[in-house]
Amino acid sequence: MYHTIVFLPLLGCLIAGLFGRVIGARPSEVVTTLFLFISMLLSWLALARVGFGHEETRVVLFSFIRSGELNVDWALRVDTLTAVMLVVVTTISALVHLYSIGYMHEDPHRPRFFAYLSLFTFAMLMLVTADNLVQLFFGWEGVGLASYLLIGFWYHKPEANAAAIKAFIVNRVGDFGFALGIFAVFMMIGAVDLETIFAQAPTLTGKTIDFFGWQADALTLICLLLFMGAMGKSAQFLLHTWLPDAMEGPTPVSALIHAATMVTAGVFMVARLSPLFELAPTAQTVVTFFGATTALFAATVGLVQNDIKRIVAYSTCSQLGYMFVAMGVGAYSVGMFHLFTHAFFKALLFLGSGSVIMAMHHEQDIRQMGGLKDKIPFTYWTMVIGTLALTGFPLTAGYFSKDAIIEAAYAGQNPMAVYAFVLTVVAAGLTAFYSWRLVFKTFHGHPHDHHAYDHAHESPPVVLIPLGALAVGSIAAGWPFKEYFAGHHVAEFFRESLKQGGEIIDAIHHVPFAVAMSPTVAMLIGLLVSYQFYIRRPDIPVRLAEQHELLYRFLLNKWYFDEIYDFLFVRPALWLGRLLWKRGDGWVIDGFGPDGVSARVLDVTRNVVRLQTGYLYHYAFAMLIGVAALITWFMFGGR
């Protein structure tokens, strides 16, 4: 069964990628989508068997690497944590495949697109089933490659190419740290398989690593290097800049990459390696700081964005920050709970945005929309459900998971826990504001582009069915699973697949009433302010932007991180490259190397050739000069 879950997407990728032109676009779509739905059904069965039936297993596929002390088997580690990720990845991917049949119906390269989607899913499945760090790194880089291909799928657009390159390069920065972390683990433990690492981790307590002359605590350094990889993959503060630009890819790509799969890889990795992070409190504090900072930073930027997909993208960035706050304070199962629920409502919001874009003839600026709730009512209500879940409205999936994170931050013991609690509550209010801003400006009020509005219509059933399924998940993924992720059945459900921090789960249920209500109050304040700004008094936001132009520009330009990085890294790199090209390669190497030698030989040859003129008087004159020189030498210097 587990072989089938993992390798069916790869088989679909090979069929669509190698034979798509032969069998045609529609068979490619059907085959890849069918294979994903089979994997999805088997993944839910695996969750029932592993999570509730306690049938954890390890499936060895083949021996991979045998080199000295490095022994790596290619194996599938199937425990509750894996089963949860299998459900998330295959469910969202299957619905995205189905949705893409309608969304991409006009694209002439559909077989290639569906091959890339299935390749991405296969790489993500290899990541979550990894039994060792080498195999995990294979899946880690595989999703990076697939995301590059998908973000730049419309390669005729310069913006798409630039976004794909940017995502690839920024992730390489994080992956460099991740690779160093894996090397450090092998250096200290002598193995890369997870069982050995978890068994030997306590022996690293108190040991140090010489890191550029600094005697760093081994566990702290290892965890920080590993978290550096998570920062890139999960778009955390400082390595977040690739995420909004990745919206240049097709909308189904945004839903697949930014809702449930690649961006959650970093969260999953920290959860998987929780036995290491539990022994490195300093690293946990750093994780908490970056998670809380990301949650607030992305929420502030989302306030003023106008591209419908970018607003949802910054929302993803902010929610990933929430997940890392949970990981940092030791509430790993709570972080996984939000990962689980977030996948449904964020995929719903991305795919719903795609339905709006289709209705508006590929217009993405919410300032050009308005009044669409009567034109596309099904899309409207699914977007409302997704927004309710995202903002944490009571009884939706996001209410149970996000509130649990905020309560865990309050109950956390590390030095950044209070900082995280305050920032996540503020971010909850900001999230409600910009999320309802999107809904109000898109679906309410008066239409701004009358031509697009007049021709707007609801999407076909192949697009609406995934929206309906995700809307159900945005509600049903919360309460039924609450006790297993953030309640009294956590230890029984996850068993050894997670190393839960202290008594954090019990502490969540004993926080003061005011703390428990704070995210709901913040959410209601954000909703009411957004309603006042964009329904009752739409003139207020305009006046505020004019009165506080510097702040507005600061947020609109995303805290100027792109400009700062361009000044600090891009321009110096271009200057150095041009210097090495023009001076180093052109002047030094070519000037004194092969090109220079050949040029001098040519110069000498041309000058010598000029001596052979063919005129007799030239030769006679040369002979006369020679005779005169010879006589002179004999007269004055000769013997």
Side-chain angles (χ1 to χ4, degrees), residues 552-563:
Y552 177 73
R553 290 291 175 188
F554 179 71
L555 298 179
L556 189 64
N557 287 283
K558 303 160 286 188
W559 291 26
Y560 290 100
F561 268 103
D562 284 324
E563 289 78 6

Side-chain angles (χ1 to χ4, degrees), residues 187-188 206-221:
M187 181 183 73
M188 298 300 293
K207 292 186 178 179
T208 61
I209 296 177
D210 186 355
F211 190 69
F212 295 106
W214 169 45
Q215 293 300 315
D217 179 73
L219 281 169
T220 300
L221 180 62

